[in-house]
Amino acid sequence: EVQLVESGGGLVQAGGSLRLSCAASGFTFDDYAIGWFRQAPGKEREGVSCISNSDGSTYYKDSMQGRFTVSSDNAKNTVYLQMNSLKPEDTAVYYCAASLRLTLYDPSYYLRLPSLYDYWGQGTQVTVSS
């Protein structure tokens, strides 16, 4: 059974940091890319970052570049999203997702098309207070 389990969300003050984890099981982790998406109330789901487990390539939404860092521990089948300098507008439910096909497409699609991802976690709430 494929599972993606996010953890690490919570309440933090503006300027603070959180590290989200995405623990994967039930598929060959090294063959997949893992993406992070978020969805705020009343807004569409947006891509935040992704990492290719096959070669370690990373991608970020422009507004997150420099504040967020995605990394992968292939031995633990876990992907992390380190979020620094958090802002109230970062408040959302954060999801991780796994894609087998992602690297077949142009990188410009990686964070724009949730449909490219095969499996999704249940999400973890991040709330940033001002």
Side-chain angles (χ1 to χ4, degrees):
E1 179 188 5
V2 172
Q3 279 194 317
L4 294 169
V5 180
E6 302 96 336
S7 61
L11 174 64
V12 64
Q13 287 189 331
S17 299
L18 284 174
R19 188 177 80 155
L20 305 184
S21 299
C22 173
S25 61
F27 59 92
T28 306
F29 188 74
D30 292 1
D31 291 343
Y32 282 70
I34 304 294
W36 286 97
F37 289 77
R38 68 185 186 185
Q39 189 165 19
K43 294 188 177 182
E44 292 187 355
R45 189 169 295 191
E46 67 171 342
V48 173
S49 180
C50 67
I51 184 167
S52 169
N53 286 328
S54 60
D55 66 7
S57 299
T58 58
Y59 305 86
Y60 298 92
K61 185 176 175 69
D62 287 347
S63 58
M64 283 71 171
Q65 188 81 41
R67 295 194 301 128
F68 291 7
T69 303
V70 65
S71 62
S72 182
D73 185 337
N74 287 30
K76 295 183 178 180
N77 283 9
T78 300
V79 170
Y80 304 97
L81 184 68
Q82 177 68 43
M83 305 187 296
N84 299 327
S85 302
L86 284 164
K87 306 173 182 179
E89 51 264 43
D90 293 318
T91 295
V93 177
Y94 284 70
Y95 300 89
C96 65
S99 174
L100 181 61
R101 306 161 288 155
L102 196 69
T103 54
L104 298 177
Y105 297 87
D106 187 272
S108 65
Y109 292 116
Y110 290 178
L111 300 179
R112 292 166 50 197
L113 295 180
S115 59
L116 294 182
Y117 293 80
D118 305 297
Y119 307 113
W120 290 81
Q122 82 290 349
T124 186
Q125 176 70 47
V126 171
T127 303
V128 185
S129 63
S130 57

